[in-house]
Amino acid sequence: MKRKKIVAGNWKMYMDYEEGRALANAVISHLQPSETIVVLGTPYIHLKGISGLIKGVSSLKLAAQNCHQENNGAYTGEVSAPMLKSCGVDYVILGHSERREYFHETDALIARKIDAVMAQGMQPIYCCGERLEVREAGEHEALVSRQVSEALFHLNEEQMRQVVIAYEPVWAIGTGKTASPEQAQEMHRHIRSLIRKQYGDGIAEGLTILYGGSVKPGNAAELFGQPDVDGGLIGGASLKAEDFIAIVESI
Ligand code: 13P
């Protein structure tokens, strides 16, 4: 089975309104037609406007970086999955290590957010990955197994087909330390084997697994060349259109 290749930018909390529009326009003007799905993961305030800008560019999709688990209610400052859907959002990044660390998100909470997103027909990009001390203790596969099973294994087969997983070792995020292609491949193969055991070969082989953590134009091709690495989730390098496009073109 041919898996979908995805390169997603996670802008995090960067780019004011005008900067965001300029970045989206620069990506649009440099993007070459290809089968790779290119995703812009923007702050909430950009979503509606950028959804209008990318209309008609079929390979470009829009992602939010979070959403609330309830559809509506008295949750001051929060944004729900139906609201995101109404702004043209295709994907929602969930379980990012920064949300786990700074906003105390647990796998149980993330599982509810995944349900809320899928109920609206959007696709979750579920992030998992270990901190440095966990890797040093040799427990990274066990930890990622737990993250994957606790957040995803309540899903049925149809739902699981819509999920994208991003492996982002915390020690490689924003640090300039990339996982080696071998380390990335080893964990991606492990994640695919977890999905195979739970959901069977067809779903496992069709699952897109992204690598994230200090991906740059200079290291993207080698990472993306690994058999179980189906693209990337890009932080810092997604904020410069030339770098982001160069990464997209490395796949
Ligand atoms: P960097 O590419 O800046 O390391 O960030 C990775 C990331 O967290 C993407 O979600």
Side-chain angles (χ1 to χ4, degrees), residues 59-251:
S59 59
L60 254 186
K61 303 288 177 195
L62 189 61
Q65 300 172 15
N66 180 33
C67 84
H68 197 272
Q69 62 276 17
E70 299 291 343
N71 283 348
N72 47 53
Y75 300 104
T76 301
E78 290 296 310
V79 173
S80 72
M83 294 172 188
L84 297 178
K85 179 70 180 178
S86 75
C87 289
V89 169
D90 306 292
Y91 294 88
V92 183
I93 299 168
L94 291 172
H96 194 281
S97 63
E98 288 149 17
R99 297 222 48 97
R100 293 176 190 263
E101 179 170 358
Y102 305 127
F103 301 94
H104 313 295
E105 291 195 7
T106 61
D107 285 314
L109 175 67
I110 297 160
R112 293 182 59 201
K113 294 185 177 206
I114 287 173
D115 291 343
V117 160
M118 300 199 86
Q120 298 304 316
M122 297 181 291
Q123 291 183 254
I125 299 177
Y126 174 63
C127 303
C128 56
E130 79 287 353
R131 303 169 63 86
L132 185 59
E133 60 271 22
V134 174
R135 178 162 282 266
E136 285 174 348
E139 287 170 2
H140 43 291
E141 289 196 352
L143 179 103
V144 168
S145 303
R146 206 158 59 236
Q147 290 175 328
V148 166
S149 64
E150 287 181 9
L152 298 177
F153 282 4
H154 65 289
L155 298 176
N156 65 31
E157 291 187 3
E158 264 330 291
Q159 292 172 313
M160 192 62 214
R161 280 183 219 281
Q162 303 303 315
V163 171
V164 175
I165 294 181
Y167 169 57
E168 298 206 309
V170 181
W171 47 271
I173 295 177
T175 58
K177 273 192 210 158
T178 320
S180 68
E182 295 73 29
Q183 285 171 319
Q185 167 56 22
E186 187 181 46
M187 185 61 88
H188 284 227
R189 189 195 316 114
H190 174 65
I191 292 169
R192 202 177 303 287
S193 77
L194 296 172
I195 301 300
R196 184 174 293 113
K197 267 188 225 134
Q198 188 73 13
Y199 292 97
D201 228 22
I203 292 180
E205 286 307 311
L207 174 72
T208 298
I209 309 178
L210 310 180
Y211 169 79
S214 298
V215 179
K216 299 180 199 67
N219 60 23
E222 216 187 341
L223 287 160
F224 297 164
Q226 301 301 309
D228 286 291
V229 178
D230 309 308
L233 182 54
I234 321 299
S238 73
L239 300 173
K240 270 174 102 184
E242 315 88 85
D243 287 356
F244 186 57
I245 292 291
I247 292 169
V248 170
E249 287 174 355
S250 312
I251 212 158

